[in-house]
Amino acid sequence: MAVAIDGMFDKAYLPKEEPKVKSHVPSMEIYRELYKEADENPDQFWGSLAKQFYWKKYPTAQFLKYNFDVSKGPIQIKWMEDASTNVCYNALDKNIQKGLGNSIAFYWEGNDPKDVITVTYKKLHEEVCKFANVLRKKGVKKGHRIAIYMPMILELPVALLACARIGAVHSVVFGGYSSESLAERILDASCSMLITADGVYRGAKFINLKGIADEAVSICKERGHKLKSCIVVFYLNKPNKNIKSVKEADVDKLSDQLAKELKLSWRCGEETCWQYEMASVGNICEPEWMNAEDPLFILYTSGSTGKPKGILHTVAGYMLYAATTFKYVFDYQPGNVYFCTADIGWITGHTYGVYGPLLNGAISVMFEGIPFYPHPGRFWEIIDKYNVNIFYTAPTAIRALVKYGDEEVNKYKCSSLKILGSVGEPINPEAWLWYYNVVGKKSCSVVDTFWQTETGGHVITPLPRCTPTKPGSATFPFFGVVPALVDEEGKELEGAAEGYLVFKKPWPGMMRTIYGSHERFERTYFTRFPGYYCTGDGARRDEDGYYWITGRIDDMLNCSGHLLSTAQVESALIDHGAIVEAAAVSYPHHTKGECLYCFIVLKEEFKFDSNLEKDLKEKVRSKIGPFATPDYFHVAGGLPKTRSGKIMRRLLRKIAKNDRNLGDITSLSDQDVVEQLFKSRPNIPIPTLA
């Protein structure tokens, strides 16, 4: 049921009730009570939640210490500073002690639908302990940084948890980044070891991971850094049980096709085979007890300068926040089956693919493939196969699946679904409604979550059994998160307003620094608006207090005195039946200062002409106002996206200005798109502003 608030896309959809289920937050009244407690008494609120975990030393000193004001000294964030624990112990050992040893931890679904594996908590614990022993045998100690470059196979979460068990700091690099990108991350973190695999198929496309890793290791050597060891999972090619090291592998016995594709060279002299190493160790490994503020992992995210930022998260605060947000945002109940489609190479895969679910003893589906292979109904097939109750995916995937029509979804029942989640870019209302109506059959709650690599977990999000939702709005802050909107001068805006999204105090899962550069951490997040954490995003707060994320600050422009979000314009354009995707960027204008340059991807049956251009401009005028009317349209065959599906608007701004000084583009999923966009660029002048 929808309650009209203010126009079609400001309808509030009431939360769905589930009979016989005691929701963790069943009403807005209880949400407000908990939110108030977390804001006014964080020690009591988070201290109560912390008691569900095992602590070698329970936090007894001041629960939270922080400074957000650079004028008062270095920025610092510390939670439960005097405590000690181990994340892996809480994710595995503690669940086994609770009787969940034979419960499913992961249903693994391969790229090929015939490839399936089921792993219990007990089996996962054994594998993690064995690999932790392998790491220790290789000389890995607490604080050592370990680079992990792997496909979505079960060895990947095993590697993460093994690092966490012995106190090593894992740095996962998405299995598909270039050798230069991998080397850059290894060098920045001074990693002592690389864990990789021979190769992987992503859909029908082969990715030669070992070849890329070899090149990355060579680059590192050229720049003065030699890895101590490299462990390779034989995934596509199962090794002979007698193989002790990779260089002893009998490549001639591989199938002709694989031998040709893999181009196995085994150039790194320190390599060994994962399977051999695992066969030579026991399955008992005592955990390393970690201080609460010890590093847990580094995860690199794009920087505005093109140099990636190594976001550092610490042990106890991240554990507490990952577990709590997973439990409450998905209203996870024992026995629910949860399916997160994100690759573990991204923060979503870390927090809501591995740590959050396991810390709650959850049953998860881990998926190696892509949503369109071998057919565009793969997601819905998996949901039916495992009776998935909670489904979490990205707006990019949702919009791409819309193109195949409702019939692809309707081939499957999807009747087990109770909660649908959205993560990544802000979801446009049209995609939200398709998700709700077609995938959820109007019977599922939708949680549109806003968060970042830096935040560690959800910061603005609905709660499925209590929050009335509005399509396209992330709704309200999570417990302990205090957002504000500020203008260009940093003045807080009250009531209904639009501005820059900032946060006034920390939550446990927040990043602690940028690895190797605390100065960059302070400059990036705390200097522009002193006293606040600056998200880098713009947002709108409506008259009901709902937050609407409007996109990166770089994607906002001041057009004739109006602060305008490009996301608003994109949503209006996508509402037209001719448009599949749209991306708007700012463009210099003699009189306005800035105007809108819009990239549009058309449906096959449409052609761009003066009538369509007129219709699109009218659509934007009617949705936003005359001041938002686009000046230029660029018809595109596709948009430049990262491998996680985010549109790289930094590149679109360069293309709009015909500027080929692109910087680092290694994170692009398809670099050919950029050249195609330069070729199709309209012949328009670039004004020089005084």
Side-chain angles (χ1 to χ4, degrees):
M1 176 183 178
V3 180
I5 300 292
D6 180 23
M8 179 179 176
F9 293 128
D10 282 341
K11 290 179 179 178
Y13 286 73
L14 298 181
K16 303 297 179 183
E17 295 181 6
E18 189 175 352
K20 300 180 182 179
V21 170
K22 187 177 181 181
S23 174
H24 301 304
V25 187
S27 69
M28 285 301 290
E29 289 73 24
I30 292 175
Y31 161 78
R32 293 187 188 100
E33 290 173 8
L34 291 170
Y35 184 82
K36 182 179 180 182
E37 180 186 354
D39 181 28
E40 296 179 355
N41 195 344
D43 290 24
Q44 178 177 308
F45 180 84
W46 294 109
S48 175
L49 291 170
K51 291 176 182 176
Q52 67 186 292
F53 300 106
Y54 175 81
W55 301 88
K56 192 68 173 177
K57 181 179 185 298
Y58 187 78
T60 55
Q62 186 176 347
F63 220 74
L64 167 63
K65 296 178 184 177
Y66 78 99
N67 172 44
F68 270 13
D69 191 339
V70 289
S71 67
K72 296 180 180 179
I75 300 298
Q76 68 166 352
I77 304 147
K78 294 182 178 181
W79 285 86
M80 303 168 283
E81 189 178 9
D82 69 332
S84 62
T85 187
N86 184 281
V87 178
C88 178
Y89 186 90
N90 279 285
L92 298 179
D93 303 62
K94 194 167 187 298
N95 281 317
I96 292 170
Q97 293 162 15
K98 288 165 58 178
L100 295 178
N102 293 323
S103 177
I104 304 300
F106 290 110
Y107 291 112
W108 180 80
E109 179 84 10
N111 184 60
D112 186 327
K114 297 191 294 292
D115 293 338
V116 295
I117 301 173
T118 299
V119 179
T120 64
Y121 274 84
K122 181 180 178 182
K123 180 62 176 175
L124 182 60
H125 178 264
E126 290 175 355
E127 293 297 297
V128 167
C129 286
K130 286 167 67 176
F131 193 63
N133 285 331
V134 169
L135 294 175
R136 279 180 169 162
K137 188 175 75 170
K138 293 286 182 183
V140 176
K141 299 184 184 300
K142 176 181 176 180
H144 286 188
R145 277 80 60 206
I146 307 299
I148 302 174
Y149 183 68
M150 295 174 75
M152 282 287 283
I153 55 178
L154 286 166
E155 286 85 353
L156 179 49
V158 167
L160 267 66
L161 292 161
C163 288
R165 192 167 190 85
I166 66 170
V169 181
H170 59 74
S171 173
V172 180
V173 181
F174 173 71
Y177 266 134
S178 69
S179 55
E180 179 65 37
S181 293
L182 174 57
E184 185 176 33
R185 288 154 174 79
I186 291 172
L187 289 165
D188 188 75
S190 298
C191 295
S192 61
M193 176 185 284
L194 172 63
I195 305 167
T196 188
D198 50 8
V200 68
Y201 283 93
R202 188 163 289 121
K205 183 181 180 182
F206 173 72
I207 309 293
N208 186 352
L209 295 175
K210 181 58 171 59
I212 295 169
D214 277 350
E215 291 179 20
V217 171
S218 295
I219 292 169
C220 290
K221 286 181 179 178
E222 290 169 4
R223 298 178 187 175
H225 179 74
K226 184 178 180 181
L227 288 162
K228 293 181 179 178
S229 57
C230 177
I231 297 176
V232 183
V233 178
F234 276 59
Y235 172 52
L236 294 181
N237 149 61
K238 305 305 179 189
N240 182 291
K241 65 180 180 180
N242 296 319
I243 292 177
K244 294 184 179 181
S245 67
V246 170
K247 56 189 174 184
E248 294 177 26
D250 188 356
V251 177
D252 293 335
K253 291 183 180 179
L254 296 173
S255 70
D256 291 340
Q257 181 183 1
L258 270 182
K260 184 178 180 181
E261 288 178 333
L262 285 170
K263 300 176 183 176
L264 296 176
S265 58
W266 317 119
R267 289 181 297 161
C268 314
E270 301 77 21
E271 297 162 338
T272 54
C273 167
W274 173 291
Q275 285 89 340
Y276 168 76
E277 295 287 359
M278 292 287 276
S280 65
V281 294
N283 61 8
I284 297 173
C285 178
E286 289 300 312
E288 183 80 25
W289 299 109
M290 307 293 290
N291 180 270
E293 285 297 324
D294 281 337
L296 175 62
F297 66 84
I298 300 166
L299 189 60
Y300 285 86
T301 186
S302 300
S304 58
T305 62
K307 178 178 169 57
K309 305 187 294 282
I311 305 303
L312 188 141
H313 286 285
T314 52
V315 170
Y318 176 82
M319 176 182 74
L320 177 56
Y321 202 69
T324 303
T325 49
F326 177 84
K327 177 179 178 179
Y328 285 90
V329 174
F330 299 115
D331 199 39
Y332 188 82
Q333 306 292 333
N336 283 171
V337 178
Y338 164 79
F339 178 17
C340 173
T341 68
D343 193 287
I344 294 171
W346 313 115
I347 187 63
T348 304
H350 278 56
T351 305
Y352 301 115
V354 179
Y355 287 113
L358 292 176
L359 288 164
N360 282 277
I363 303 168
S364 295
V365 176
M366 180 178 170
F367 179 41
E368 179 193 21
I370 59 175
F372 318 110
Y373 183 83
H375 55 80
R378 190 72 191 279
F379 278 171
W380 327 127
E381 181 181 63
I382 291 172
I383 287 167
D384 278 1
K385 183 175 182 178
Y386 298 105
N387 291 313
V388 170
N389 308 114
I390 305 163
F391 179 60
Y392 195 36
T393 195
T396 303
I398 296 167
R399 287 192 290 266
L401 289 163
V402 170
K403 292 191 294 185
Y404 293 96
D406 300 359
E407 58 274 12
E408 279 296 334
V409 184
N410 294 333
K411 290 178 183 177
Y412 304 90
K413 293 180 181 178
C414 296
S415 57
S416 58
L417 287 172
K418 304 295 182 185
I419 295 167
L420 302 174
S422 170
V423 57
E425 292 192 329
I427 186 170
N428 56 295
E430 295 77 15
W432 192 104
L433 287 167
W434 184 85
Y435 200 27
Y436 174 83
N437 290 322
V438 179
V439 179
K441 319 295 186 198
K442 301 183 180 180
S443 63
C444 295
S445 296
V446 178
V447 289
D448 175 15
T449 60
F450 169 74
W451 59 300
Q452 305 168 313
T453 305
E454 294 89 339
T455 71
H458 306 136
V459 285
I460 302 180
T461 176
L463 301 180
R465 307 296 177 210
C466 82
T467 311
T469 50
K470 298 183 183 183
S473 170
T475 71
F476 303 111
F478 191 71
F479 308 128
V481 176
V482 184
L485 299 179
V486 298
D487 63 15
E488 292 275 2
E489 285 72 44
K491 179 183 176 183
E492 270 195 49
L493 305 171
E494 302 297 332
E498 181 166 354
Y500 301 101
L501 179 63
V502 296
F503 293 115
K504 302 169 78 167
K505 58 174 65 173
W507 51 92
M510 186 179 184
M511 69 180 294
R512 299 303 194 256
T513 190
I514 292 175
Y515 183 79
S517 182
H518 197 70
E519 185 275 331
R520 187 183 182 192
F521 170 68
E522 294 181 335
R523 183 179 70 250
T524 303
Y525 301 102
F526 296 93
T527 302
R528 180 165 187 175
F529 301 117
Y532 300 96
Y533 165 79
C534 180
T535 64
D537 281 287
R540 173 171 67 91
R541 185 174 53 231
D542 70 19
E543 61 277 11
D544 301 309
Y546 284 67
Y547 283 86
W548 304 71
I549 308 303
T550 54
R552 301 299 295 167
I553 287 175
D554 288 342
D555 299 327
M556 298 181 78
L557 66 154
N558 197 315
C559 185
S560 300
H562 297 276
L563 187 63
L564 180 63
S565 151
T566 56
Q568 285 178 284
V569 179
E570 292 163 7
S571 182
L573 291 171
I574 292 171
D575 191 37
H576 192 287
I579 306 299
V580 175
E581 279 193 296
V585 297
S586 64
Y587 192 79
H589 192 278
H590 279 299
T591 55
K592 300 178 185 177
E594 293 178 289
C595 68
L596 279 161
Y597 184 112
C598 299
F599 294 82
I600 53 173
V601 180
L602 299 177
K603 293 180 180 177
E604 290 184 3
E605 63 268 29
F606 288 89
K607 290 185 178 180
F608 189 77
D609 55 23
S610 59
N611 289 329
L612 179 55
E613 181 177 14
K614 182 179 178 182
D615 287 349
L616 292 174
K617 288 184 176 182
E618 182 55 38
K619 177 68 75 173
V620 175
R621 286 191 196 99
S622 62
K623 288 270 187 181
I624 305 172
F627 66 90
T629 304
D631 281 66
Y632 304 109
F633 288 100
H634 184 155
V635 180
L639 301 175
K641 297 178 182 178
T642 65
R643 291 177 176 87
S644 63
K646 290 188 177 181
I647 297 170
M648 292 189 71
R649 289 174 175 81
R650 173 178 68 84
L651 295 184
L652 292 179
R653 287 191 290 273
K654 292 279 191 179
I655 292 163
K657 296 175 184 176
N658 207 23
D659 179 0
R660 289 182 174 269
N661 184 22
L662 301 177
D664 181 19
I665 62 171
T666 55
S667 60
L668 275 176
S669 60
D670 182 1
Q671 296 187 15
D672 291 340
V673 169
V674 174
E675 185 57 36
Q676 292 165 8
L677 287 171
F678 273 117
K679 289 179 179 178
S680 62
R681 182 185 178 275
N683 185 23
I684 55 175
I686 303 171
T688 302
L689 302 181

